[in-house]
Amino acid sequence: MAYEYTGTVHDELVASFDRDEPPFPTSSAISFPRRDHLRDDVDRLKRLLFPRCWNAQRLLGNPEATRDALTGLGSVFHAGVTAYADGDVADPTATVDDVLDELPAIRHALKKDVEAAYKGDPAARSYAEVIRSYPGFHAITIQRPAHVLYEAGAAEYARELTEYAKTESGVDIHPGAEIGEHFFVDHGTGVVVGETATVGDWARIYQNVTLGALHFEEEEDAEHMLKKGYKRHPTVGDHVVIGAGSKVLGPIDIGDHVSIGANSWVTEDVPDHTSVFVADHPELERKTKEEGVTT
């Protein structure tokens, strides 16, 4: 079955492109080195969301070309949703329409994520660098539309998209996770955000952080079967910083304006305006090879 986008989002997206202002790229003449993704859906998605950064200038000021691009992306989405549907998705076409209709809002949210990354990383030199180079931004670029697919009942195809994002970025954000505005994962490698996690606005997460489950419940009527569909992961508030290597586990509540120091192990609620850190750091010993002296 062929898919054709028949909505009006192409006009909204073109208007959104026109509203871009510095420090976002605004020139229609720039051309970055070509980078082909292994997945057609991801490639098309990135071009529609940030055409100037992914050499899709033909979409600028061109609603018809943008509508064609939406049809192209929608066709790939439709194939993915339909392949997994098996009757679970009543109307794959309506599901894809819903996702494409959300792209202007997704783009708006992603622009805030770019801002958060630029402001939250002293090494960031430009918004374009964040969009093209930062693994955390790559992961959230795919997770936000995948979350819409997940919410619409296409959870399996949504998971396929976020798993691909993990292979390219090292950042594993489940499509079921609810992510607030101005989200920034710095460095990214080894970050895991579980299915039922909720993260508030202006959260900053560093490498090797896990927002995971602590214990698992088993299904009563199925042998060796873990229970599904219940809250297992943390709820993180606004303006929270989670340091490298920290594990925040279980359906606990992390309040607003919380700082969790590196390598912390957190399994209990943390109230607002609290710092959590490892109090007793191991002592380091040094010996010189020549003298065998401990210092």
Side-chain angles (χ1 to χ4, degrees):
M1 175 182 174
Y3 176 85
E4 181 179 357
Y5 182 70
T6 58
T8 60
V9 154
H10 50 288
D11 291 320
E12 291 184 53
L13 282 172
V14 169
S16 176
F17 304 152
D18 290 342
R19 288 194 298 270
D20 283 351
E21 297 179 350
F24 284 97
T26 57
S27 172
S28 60
I30 55 177
S31 180
F32 288 99
R34 179 173 173 174
R35 186 188 303 169
D36 295 325
H37 296 277
L38 297 177
R39 294 189 61 106
D40 189 31
D41 38 19
V42 171
D43 198 28
R44 292 175 181 272
L45 178 64
K46 288 193 168 188
R47 291 173 185 271
L48 266 166
L49 290 170
F50 293 98
R52 292 183 180 90
C53 290
W54 300 107
N55 298 332
Q57 283 83 351
R58 64 185 182 85
L59 305 183
L60 303 175
N62 192 337
E64 292 303 313
T66 303
R67 183 172 64 181
D68 290 344
L70 286 164
T71 293
L73 175 61
S75 297
V76 185
F77 276 3
H78 191 273
V81 172
T82 302
Y84 280 111
D86 194 25
D88 293 336
V89 180
D91 188 346
T93 298
T95 297
V96 174
D97 285 345
D98 289 344
V99 177
L100 298 184
D101 286 344
E102 284 295 314
L103 286 183
I106 291 170
R107 184 173 194 267
H108 183 66
L110 289 171
K111 290 177 74 172
K112 293 181 179 180
D113 297 331
V114 174
E115 178 190 1
Y118 182 79
K119 290 182 174 180
D121 183 8
R125 299 301 179 92
S126 70
Y127 279 22
E129 178 191 14
V130 171
I131 294 168
R132 285 183 56 89
S133 303
Y134 276 45
F137 184 72
H138 172 80
I140 196 63
T141 297
I142 297 174
Q143 196 274 346
R144 289 200 184 278
H147 180 70
V148 180
L149 283 163
Y150 177 94
E151 291 287 299
E156 293 156 302
Y157 177 53
R159 181 67 180 274
E160 186 178 319
L161 290 172
T162 56
E163 285 298 314
Y164 171 74
K166 180 177 70 174
T167 65
E168 283 209 344
S169 68
V171 179
D172 183 357
I173 310 176
H174 194 283
E178 298 181 12
I179 308 297
E181 296 182 341
H182 293 96
F183 180 68
F184 177 36
V185 176
D186 198 1
H187 302 294
T189 304
V191 166
V192 176
V193 180
E195 178 185 24
T196 63
T198 300
V199 179
D201 298 339
W202 286 104
R204 187 162 78 249
I205 297 175
Y206 288 88
Q207 67 271 21
N208 290 317
V209 165
T210 297
L211 303 183
L214 182 60
H215 301 293
F216 295 102
E217 299 179 17
E218 293 188 359
E219 289 285 2
E220 295 181 0
D221 301 325
E223 189 176 9
H224 305 301
M225 178 77 169
L226 293 179
K227 185 177 179 181
K228 302 179 186 297
Y230 69 100
K231 176 70 172 173
R232 308 181 300 281
H233 304 99
T235 295
V236 176
D238 300 336
H239 300 280
V240 172
V241 177
I242 305 179
S246 293
K247 314 303 175 190
V248 184
L249 306 177
I252 59 176
D253 291 324
I254 307 299
D256 299 335
H257 300 278
V258 166
S259 176
I260 298 177
N263 297 315
S264 297
W265 180 275
V266 183
T267 59
E268 298 178 352
D269 293 349
V270 178
D272 297 347
H273 301 282
T274 301
S275 294
V276 176
F277 53 90
V278 179
D280 296 322
H281 288 278
E283 295 183 2
L284 299 179
E285 293 185 355
R286 295 180 295 175
K287 283 186 177 181
T288 61
K289 292 183 179 179
E290 295 78 8
E291 302 176 1
V293 177
T294 301
T295 59

